[in-house]
């Protein structure tokens, strides 16, 4: 069992940092107002206003900002403000023992997948795959907002077709640790010291703006790296395809071709990722994927 961070309380202070692409300030105000609605105080990291070309500050500045929030005893959670690109550059510079000694909530998705996979593995800590505070879609929808409540009390998530239609790709039932996230960032770890461990785990895939041939390329890399055969099952989230390109159904058909030979329970259609709603889930906890009944049950991420 991985360490579950302590739940939040009304009045707690959380940290907001940016380890990826520079932030557009106009989108941040309403998201900070949302933290106010949750009854939280917040500290803004230096990287919120930093700009170093296509990054939110130098690698050293971004790592220092993250470490400062980890070490700050007042900060009970760290929200990553934006995705884009940047975290793969610093995963070898982050102190994972420091975070294991100071466990706290880590929240974000997309580029933050690169952080989730390493914190789950090297800090032995549960993290949260959830919408960014600077989401370009504007105000968070009601369900996405509601999912933040899992930070205040241990809640077992029951994901069913009440949210959106789901598709059984490969039948069966499996229990295992839930890992994964953005497909591009998962593939980016292959062949490195930080290669994602999927052995006997349920793996989430999602992405945005990738053409079907590029998704095919990434799935083939996972196949060649033997990740598809090592996993216990698969949760397929949203892929937010570019305009004038293949459909989500085309993508699922292609992915099915890669997964069928391994006969691992697989369900597609989850509103997890670059979509509305973006259902937040903990990573690093046990889950049960029932592909026959099209349900995903996830244990609480906080204690």
């Amino acid at each position: 069992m991985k360490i579950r961070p302590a739940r939040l309380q009304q009045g707690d202070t959380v940290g907001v940092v940016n380890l990826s692409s520079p932030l557009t300030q106009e989108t941040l105000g309403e998201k900070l107002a949302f933290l106010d609605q949750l009854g939280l105080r917040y500290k803004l990291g230096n990287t919120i206003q930093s700009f170093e070309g296509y990054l939110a500050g130098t690698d050293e500045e971004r790592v220092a900002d993250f470490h400062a929030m980890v070490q700050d005893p007042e900060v009970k959670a760290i929200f990553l403000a934006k995705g884009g690109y940047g975290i793969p550059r610093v995963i070898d510079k982050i102190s994972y023992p420091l975070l294991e000694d100071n466990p706290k909530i880590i929240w974000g998705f997309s580029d933050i997948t690169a952080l989730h996979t390493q914190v789950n593995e090297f800090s032995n800590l549960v993290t949260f795959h959830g919408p960014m505070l600077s989401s370009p879609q504007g105000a968070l929808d009601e369900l996405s907002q509601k999912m933040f409540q899992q930070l205040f009390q241990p809640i077992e998530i029951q994901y069913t077709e009440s949210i959106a239609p789901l598709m059984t790709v490969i039948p069966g039932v499996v229990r295992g640790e839930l890992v994964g996230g953005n497909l591009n960032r998962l593939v980016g770890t292959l062949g490195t010291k930080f290669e994602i461990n999927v052995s006997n785990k349920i793996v989430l895939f999602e992405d945005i703006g990738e053409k079907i041939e590029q998704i095919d390329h990434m799935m083939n890399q996972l196949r060649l790296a033997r990740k598809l055969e090592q996993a216990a099952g698969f949760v397929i989230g949203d892929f937010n395809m570019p305009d004038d390109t293949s459909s989500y159904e085309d993508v699922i058909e292609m992915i099915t071709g890669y997964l069928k030979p391994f006969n691992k329970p697989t369900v597609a259609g989850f509103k997890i990722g670059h979509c509305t709603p973006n259902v937040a889930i903990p990573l690093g906890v046990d889950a049960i994927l029932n592909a026959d009944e099209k349900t995903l049950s996830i244990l609480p991420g906080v204690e």
Side-chain angles (χ1 to χ4, degrees), residues 56-85:
T58 66
D59 292 348
E60 293 73 21
E61 288 170 339
R62 285 177 289 125
V63 170
D65 209 21
F66 181 71
H67 284 168
M69 291 296 184
V70 172
Q71 292 176 295
D72 190 333
E74 288 187 352
V75 171
K76 306 303 181 186
I78 302 174
F79 290 92
L80 284 300
K82 187 178 180 181
Y85 174 72

Side-chain angles (χ1 to χ4, degrees), residues 148-217:
F148 281 80
Q149 294 304 314
Q150 67 186 287
L151 302 181
F152 292 87
Q153 57 182 327
I155 298 173
E156 184 170 324
I157 295 172
Q158 299 288 343
Y159 195 118
T160 69
E161 288 193 287
S162 62
I163 297 173
L166 296 171
M167 179 193 316
T168 297
V169 176
I170 301 172
V173 181
V174 64
R175 176 169 182 158
E177 182 183 322
L178 185 59
V179 299
N182 183 261
L183 180 60
N184 190 298
R185 295 298 178 262
L186 297 177
V187 170
T189 68
L190 299 181
T192 74
K193 168 186 174 181
F194 301 95
E195 184 169 298
I196 183 171
N197 176 9
V198 302
S199 182
N200 298 315
K201 298 179 182 181
I202 299 172
V203 185
L204 163 68
F205 294 145
E206 71 86 35
D207 218 314
I208 181 174
E210 300 284 4
K211 293 184 177 181
I212 191 168
E213 52 265 41
Q214 181 59 24
I215 299 171
D216 187 315
H217 170 64

Side-chain angles (χ1 to χ4, degrees), residues 212-288:
I212 191 168
E213 52 265 41
Q214 181 59 24
I215 299 171
D216 187 315
H217 170 64
M218 291 188 285
M219 292 299 299
N220 191 50
Q221 282 187 278
L222 290 172
R223 178 185 69 86
L224 293 173
R226 303 186 66 182
K227 297 300 179 182
L228 302 183
E229 66 183 85
Q230 293 168 7
F234 300 94
V235 170
I236 311 300
D238 197 81
F239 273 82
N240 208 317
M241 304 299 294
D243 293 336
D244 303 320
T245 186
S246 306
S247 68
Y248 181 77
E249 289 72 20
D250 293 332
V251 171
I252 298 306
E253 183 178 0
M254 178 271 293
I255 290 177
T256 300
Y258 278 103
L259 299 183
K260 275 285 188 183
F262 304 108
N263 199 33
K264 308 294 178 68
T266 303
V267 179
F270 289 94
K271 287 295 184 180
I272 300 173
H274 295 80
C275 52
T276 301
N278 180 359
V279 177
I281 58 171
L283 297 174
V285 299
D286 271 10
I288 297 176

